[in-house]
Amino acid sequence: MKQMRYILTRPCLQEGSLRLQKYLESTFPESGPAVFVDDRGREHRVEIDRAAGVVRGLHPLYHDANLGVNDVLMITPLEAGRYSVEGIVKPHAPITTPRSEHQRTPEPRRVVVTATPHVREVRMQHAEASPERPPVAPRPEAPVREPLVPVTEATERPRAAAPTLAPAPAAPRPAAPTPGPVPETPEAQLAELASLTGYRLSYAAPGVARLAAELGEFGYVVHVALSEAARRPGWEGGADHSAVLTPEGQKVAGTPRLTREALVALLEHARLAPLSPIDLRPYWEAGDLDLDAAAGVSELVGAHLAQRGAFSFVLLTLAAQPAHSVVAVPRLAERLGSGVNPAELRSILDTLSRAPFLALTPLPGGQYLLRAGVAEMLRDVADYADGVRRRIRPATPVQAEASRVPTLV
């Protein structure tokens, strides 16, 4: 049966519910009692209410799996009224605190970095990490039940004379930032969303926020009425799209909605991966920007994180190979398994062949020369990026304003 992916929102966790979004309707075809079986074999009794568009009774499951906002629930139908579910935890930033040499190293825990219906990326993370013992890098793991294999920390490998692919050593990987608390007021939420996604926020009238995507011919303007009272005559004037801010359950006749819950979800998604006004425009055009629409944005964010995870997986696998050796692409693909498909692998290898990486040199027959060790290459790229960053001067207010003027070509 097809496995479905559901991203949890704050209302889901507070209510112990799961919203029956359009892509889930065929997974839950009938109302009534059902059973969710978690990855430890525990059964959770739930109630499917198609009329209300929710599945209720999930507080115990969310609590037992220690799930939070933006975590993922993988749902697989087993038979009528019975489903297999697995929780996948979002990224967590490592905690780095000093550790004396007499302190024992805590047991590592599994933290999921990215996930797709076919592969997920996990890492073993220590509760404390010192400069001498960095957190262990991610490794791929299929979502089927498999015994966990202990992951060891990176060790120094002597350079081999033959260009053979050995198992990839673990290496430190920076974790994605953990989303912080969401501002409480709509004004503060819109201000942070604008800052993260590239809108210019102003107010067209009292209680009417103006989000301007100043992108020349690709630009547009959205007016958001923060309350029903702000919808005075002409409040939509000058906007390409408009919406009124409402709770998720409240309907507004004749005007698209931006729900408070969806605004919170958009803000959390924008903290996890880059989003732009170009990404968000189809959602303003479609009408209501509610939790159903925000689920589409979460899929986009999930795709960004999955691409990042695939890139990391290839790097970590290449790190097992000594510098100045030939990368046999079929052998590399075999090592990667289903974690990276052939098209993704070719794209990643081509990227690593170009500046600023210059890690690979294409060879006849579709093979590559590994010009330097992966660790050395990443160190050089980091030094390059840091040098460029130091040369960038913050824009003055005049320069910032001038940069918003569309360029005529």
Side-chain angles (χ1 to χ4, degrees):
M1 299 294 289
K2 185 176 181 181
Q3 189 177 52
M4 303 304 294
R5 180 174 180 268
Y6 182 82
I7 296 181
L8 298 174
T9 63
R10 197 176 305 277
C12 294
L13 298 169
Q14 292 172 344
E15 300 168 3
S17 64
L18 180 154
R19 291 183 59 82
L20 294 183
Q21 297 165 355
K22 293 180 181 179
Y23 72 95
L24 286 176
E25 289 179 352
S26 61
T27 305
F28 299 94
E30 297 180 358
S31 296
V35 175
F36 280 11
V37 183
D38 65 21
D39 54 1
R40 298 183 183 179
R42 293 173 298 193
E43 296 188 350
H44 301 267
R45 304 285 175 178
V46 301
E47 186 70 24
I48 302 171
D49 186 347
R50 284 182 57 87
V54 295
V55 178
R56 300 187 180 91
L58 291 167
H59 271 306
L61 172 62
Y62 294 158
H63 179 269
D64 291 348
N66 195 27
L67 297 176
V69 174
N70 289 326
D71 288 349
V72 175
L73 198 65
M74 306 298 294
I75 306 167
T76 306
L78 300 175
E79 57 188 12
R82 193 172 180 86
Y83 302 84
S84 170
V85 293
E86 180 181 5
I88 298 179
V89 181
K90 69 185 176 185
H92 290 275
I95 302 173
T96 55
T97 55
R99 178 172 59 87
S100 69
E101 61 183 27
H102 300 292
Q103 287 179 305
R104 295 183 62 186
T105 303
E107 289 296 319
R109 61 192 179 95
R110 297 170 65 246
V111 177
V112 175
V113 180
T114 59
T116 71
H118 304 292
V119 65
R120 62 175 175 163
E121 181 183 358
V122 303
R123 67 172 181 271
M124 301 297 291
Q125 184 185 80
H126 293 277
E128 295 183 353
S130 65
E132 293 79 15
R133 302 190 64 163
V136 179
R139 63 183 294 272
E141 174 182 319
V144 297
R145 312 290 186 270
E146 292 181 357
L148 296 179
V149 179
V151 180
T152 58
E153 295 188 353
T155 55
E156 189 72 23
R157 293 181 70 254
R159 290 191 175 184
T164 59
L165 280 172
R173 177 191 189 278
T178 301
V182 174
E184 294 183 359
T185 67
E187 292 85 355
Q189 291 170 358
L190 286 170
E192 184 172 354
L193 183 67
S195 174
L196 290 171
T197 57
Y199 290 104
R200 185 180 185 185
L201 175 65
S202 59
Y203 281 83
V208 178
R210 183 179 188 270
L211 295 171
E214 297 177 334
L215 302 173
E217 63 178 303
F218 305 104
Y220 62 94
V221 173
V222 179
H223 282 184
V224 179
L226 304 184
S227 67
E228 290 281 352
R231 298 171 62 201
R232 301 180 181 90
W235 72 277
E236 299 168 296
D240 299 284
H241 313 288
S242 58
V244 59
L245 190 66
T246 69
E248 184 71 19
Q250 181 178 332
K251 302 296 182 181
V252 179
T255 303
R257 298 178 303 146
L258 167 62
T259 69
R260 298 179 186 276
E261 292 82 356
L263 177 56
V264 171
L266 287 176
L267 187 53
E268 290 168 340
H269 296 332
R271 289 174 172 180
L272 288 173
L275 290 175
S276 73
I278 300 298
D279 298 320
L280 296 178
R281 183 166 194 171
Y283 298 95
W284 296 116
E285 292 175 338
D288 286 354
L289 209 171
D290 54 11
L291 283 176
D292 282 343
V297 179
S298 72
E299 291 295 328
L300 177 64
V301 170
H304 290 331
L305 296 177
Q307 290 169 358
R308 187 186 303 174
F311 196 90
S312 299
F313 188 16
V314 172
L315 283 177
L316 292 169
T317 306
L318 284 174
Q321 189 160 334
H324 310 296
S325 62
V326 175
V327 177
V329 176
R331 183 73 183 279
L332 178 61
E334 181 182 344
R335 288 283 317 283
L336 294 168
S338 62
V340 181
N341 65 48
E344 287 179 316
L345 177 57
R346 284 292 180 184
S347 175
I348 292 170
L349 294 178
D350 288 344
T351 298
L352 290 173
S353 302
R354 297 191 293 268
F357 297 103
L358 297 176
L360 302 172
T361 298
L363 298 175
Q367 308 305 308
Y368 294 86
L369 171 69
L370 185 62
R371 295 160 57 103
V374 171
E376 291 80 4
M377 178 271 294
L378 291 176
R379 189 178 303 115
D380 290 344
V381 172
D383 291 343
Y384 161 76
D386 191 55
V388 174
R389 180 187 57 80
R390 288 195 300 267
R391 295 173 62 185
I392 297 174
R393 297 178 181 178
T396 65
V398 173
Q399 291 171 329
E401 186 65 29
S403 68
R404 298 181 185 277
V405 178
T407 303
L408 298 178
V409 180

